[in-house]
Amino acid sequence: MKIKKWIMDLPEYIPGSTLEQIKEKYGLSDVYKLASNENIMGPSEEVKKAICKAAGEVQYYPDANCTLLRERLSKKHGVPEEKIIIGNGTDQIIEMICDCFICGGDNIVIADPTFLIYEKASLKCGGVVKKVPLKDKRQDIDAMLSKIDPNTNVLFLTSPHNPTGTNINRKEFEYLMDNISRDLLVVFDEAYCEYVDQKDSLPTSDYVKHTPNLVILRTFSKIFGLAGLRTGYAIADEKIINALNKIRLPFNVNSLGQAGASAALEDEGYIKGIREKVSAEKEKFYFLCNNSGIEFIRSYANFILLKTGKYSAEIVEDLLREGFIVRPGKNLGLDGFIRVTVSLPDINDKFLKTFIKTYKKYY
């Protein structure tokens, strides 16, 4: 049997270790996963009730059109339902976008590093990936614009950016959109946007209403606490959504995901509370790291990059032995850093105490 060569050449996504794997390996009873940017607080009780109710009807196929969820998203963003598509996570929508817009010889422009799925989805379609290094841990808009050529079909941007947590501000975004051709598709991934304070957020729902070459991606996997149900969505011009729907797999979003996401949209107070809690916990990280002489990158998301220098591998291993799973920066293209998900206050306190002690062991 011969597997296609291009499949063997694809970059591999390296998932974090599970709680059970670390418990078994190090003989631990308590392990804290701070590597995958999940919302450890989980969904609200009302969302859990909606999921449990939907579980009573899993013998039926889900609503293929995600009718209720699209209705509520339409109301939330003030856009017609025809401009919205739901995916099995935004990963699936990214793949569909590349399936629709990338052929052999076409290219995409992305930051380096950034979310790996942009690259994988493009390569799968025979595309070329043009990477632009970050500048001061931020996406370099001018450099990305300079990489665009007649064969560039898609520009992928993220705000807040994963893995650094930095943002794209309104001035940068409008400058970018004013300086590209309307023939170039801009995909703006906002997986962590609900963590951004109102004063720093971009009104992307308004931009997409009059910008036919803009796609907005959002997910229920982060602040909404539904990572296990794999539900994301895109808002774009109706022509783009129609094309994506033509290649969308039938029943691509499960009924529990639809029910949970629909209920989550009705619980804005709960989401606001999570944002405030995460913001307060980030300030705790900043204060204690500053006091200990540990460098970090201020984040607009629910994770923080901590500088660990040449002893990063040793620090990651020591943290694992203490029951803390973090994301090594080396796996993300940021050697010399670790990425830490902000968790519950007591877990953050335990982590910071352990991390600072471990850091001072090497420095």
Side-chain angles (χ1 to χ4, degrees):
M1 297 183 292
K2 292 184 178 180
I3 298 173
K4 296 176 182 178
K5 184 179 183 300
W6 65 264
I7 292 178
M8 305 306 293
D9 292 339
L10 282 176
E12 184 179 359
Y13 178 81
I14 304 173
S17 300
T18 66
L19 297 176
E20 290 71 24
Q21 289 170 335
I22 298 302
K23 285 180 181 179
E24 182 178 351
K25 182 176 180 180
Y26 296 100
L28 299 169
S29 57
D30 295 318
V31 174
Y32 307 100
K33 189 179 180 185
L34 307 178
S36 299
N37 303 337
E38 296 131 331
N39 171 13
I40 197 67
M41 287 173 263
S44 70
E45 290 304 314
E46 291 303 312
V47 172
K48 291 177 184 177
K49 289 177 185 177
I51 294 170
C52 289
K53 182 179 179 181
E57 298 185 344
V58 292
Q59 67 270 34
Y60 301 111
Y61 284 109
D63 175 3
N65 295 315
C66 301
T67 305
L68 177 61
L69 181 52
R70 288 171 61 240
E71 284 177 357
R72 290 187 176 177
L73 285 169
S74 172
K75 180 180 178 181
K76 173 182 173 66
H77 293 288
V79 299
E81 294 171 37
E82 292 75 20
K83 290 180 177 286
I84 301 169
I85 189 169
I86 315 297
N88 182 28
T90 52
D91 300 38
Q92 184 186 41
I93 300 175
I94 292 165
E95 284 205 323
M96 290 193 290
I97 288 169
C98 287
D99 287 341
C100 282
F101 287 91
I102 302 297
C103 296
D106 296 330
N107 69 65
I108 68 168
V109 174
I110 62 174
D112 184 29
T114 193
F115 188 43
L116 181 61
I117 303 303
Y118 310 142
E119 179 178 357
K120 290 191 70 170
S122 178
L123 292 173
K124 183 170 69 73
C125 297
V128 175
V129 180
K130 301 175 77 172
K131 299 181 180 182
V132 180
L134 300 179
K135 183 178 181 181
D136 298 324
K137 300 296 185 295
R138 304 182 75 249
Q139 292 159 99
D140 189 338
I141 300 300
D142 282 319
M144 295 182 87
L145 286 170
S146 71
K147 285 286 187 179
I148 295 169
D149 63 31
N151 294 319
T152 305
N153 279 13
V154 185
L155 169 63
F156 284 99
L157 299 166
T158 63
S159 187
H161 176 252
N162 183 16
T164 65
T166 56
N167 75 329
I168 293 174
N169 60 44
R170 185 166 186 160
K171 181 179 179 181
E172 290 171 322
F173 180 77
E174 292 181 348
Y175 170 76
L176 171 84
M177 298 306 296
D178 288 342
N179 285 277
I180 60 167
S181 166
R182 287 297 177 100
D183 294 331
L184 174 67
L185 186 70
V186 176
V187 178
F188 201 71
D189 192 340
E190 297 187 290
Y192 300 92
C193 69
E194 289 87 2
Y195 286 106
V196 179
D197 289 336
Q198 186 65 36
K199 62 182 176 60
D200 296 310
S201 64
L202 285 173
T204 47
S205 297
D206 293 331
Y207 288 121
V208 80
K209 294 174 187 177
H210 54 78
T211 311
N213 61 324
L214 175 64
V215 177
I216 299 168
L217 296 179
R218 293 195 177 183
T219 184
F220 290 92
S221 294
K222 303 305 178 185
I223 202 168
F224 293 99
L226 297 174
L229 295 183
R230 308 304 300 124
T231 309
Y233 64 98
I235 305 174
D237 185 80
E238 192 172 339
K239 182 179 179 181
I240 294 172
I241 298 299
N242 287 340
L244 296 178
N245 270 319
K246 285 190 175 184
I247 61 170
R248 177 173 60 86
L249 294 173
F251 310 114
N252 65 316
V253 181
N254 69 78
S255 53
L256 302 187
Q258 291 187 44
S262 298
L265 289 172
E266 301 292 287
D267 210 344
E268 292 185 4
Y270 183 77
I271 299 305
K272 181 175 181 290
I274 290 175
R275 179 168 56 248
E276 291 172 350
K277 290 173 185 175
V278 169
S279 179
E281 289 302 299
K282 285 193 293 187
E283 291 301 323
K284 181 196 297 180
F285 269 76
Y286 302 154
F287 176 78
L288 291 175
C289 286
N290 268 328
N291 281 357
S292 300
I294 300 171
E295 294 182 44
F296 56 87
I297 305 299
R298 282 191 168 268
S299 173
Y300 288 83
N302 70 325
F303 56 84
I304 300 174
L305 272 186
L306 302 175
K307 190 171 183 179
T308 44
K310 63 182 179 180
Y311 295 111
S312 287
E314 291 85 350
I315 290 173
V316 168
E317 179 66 19
D318 285 356
L319 288 172
L320 284 172
R321 293 183 185 281
E322 295 291 334
F324 295 99
I325 307 173
V326 299
R327 196 73 161 151
K330 185 176 182 179
N331 295 355
L332 303 168
L334 290 167
D335 203 5
F337 287 84
I338 60 172
R339 192 188 68 189
V340 182
T341 304
V342 177
S343 187
L344 299 173
D346 62 324
I347 297 175
N348 293 331
D349 291 343
K350 291 176 184 177
F351 168 78
L352 284 164
K353 181 179 179 180
T354 302
F355 170 67
I356 291 170
K357 179 181 177 181
T358 303
Y359 182 90
K360 289 183 175 180
K361 170 183 170 182
Y362 294 97
Y363 297 101

